[in-house]
Amino acid sequence: AQSVTQLGSHVSVSEGALVLLRCNYSSSVPPYLFWYVQYPNQGLQLLLKYTTGATLVKGINGFEAEFKKSETSFHLTKPSAHMSDAAEYFCAVLSGGYQKVTFGTGTKLQVIP
Amino acid sequence: DAGVTQSPTHLIKTRGQHVTLRCSPISGHKSVSWYQQVLGQGPQFIFQYYEKEERGRGNFPDRFSARQFPNYSSELNVNALLLGDSALYLCASSSQGDEQFFGPGTRLTVL
């Protein structure tokens, strides 16, 4: 079984401040991990993914995430928030014999000017 | 290149009716997955199809069914609609790899 926990359903940051969105996972097998962003009334867009190899993963729009196996975490960060980053972010894990992706409940990021 | 497309964009139905949602994957992708996203929650896995065969099913009742056609497009059918079926239904396609590409979704409202 696999699951994803996102701490904080709403996060507010000031423009230019550090963005940190937390994600912890559980998986019985080595996981593939993803962060997706969803803008209002739109589908999901992949920000970044971890499959194997380097544990620090860089994605689009200046986001990055670090896979920490010992902490079962995959937190998303961005050094400086931009107004356009306001959206909902979902952490997800893929494992199993088929491509079932399990999503967290999401974190809404608000960027304050 | 066209991404994943879904139709219709929005749909309003009444309780007890049935609905068919359609998805066209990215060209060359043979796998299609369906997800239900209820307002305020993360997407929940419904089905995955690969090469026209069901490869996985989430915890949804038998009122939900799907199929994949020879051109790899897919339909999701929901019978005997309930108010709780109101959601955004997302389709995702993938090739042999790990990354799924999502469509814009179909917003279903059940009255």
Side-chain angles (χ1 to χ4, degrees), chain A residues 44-65:
Chain A
L44 300 170
Q45 180 183 9
L46 182 68
L47 277 177
L48 49 80
K49 64 180 179 181
Y50 169 80
T51 54
T52 58
T55 57
L56 182 62
V57 180
K58 295 185 183 300
I60 62 172
N61 301 337
F63 285 94
E64 62 181 37

Side-chain angles (χ1 to χ4, degrees), chain A residues 38 46 49 90 98-99 101, chain B residues 37 48 94 97-100:
Chain A
Q38 186 175 37
L46 182 68
K49 64 180 179 181
F90 292 94
Y98 54 90
Q99 292 184 335
V101 179
Chain B
Q37 185 178 18
Q48 191 215 16
S94 60
D98 50 80
E99 183 173 346
Q100 296 191 351

Side-chain angles (χ1 to χ4, degrees), chain B residues 64-95:
Chain B
F64 288 77
S65 63
R67 55 179 175 168
Q68 187 177 32
F69 299 99
N71 66 354
Y72 304 111
S73 67
S74 177
E75 284 182 354
L76 175 69
N77 294 283
V78 186
N79 293 324
L81 285 167
L82 303 174
L83 295 179
D85 295 331
S86 295
L88 180 68
Y89 288 85
L90 295 165
C91 172
S93 76
S94 60
S95 58

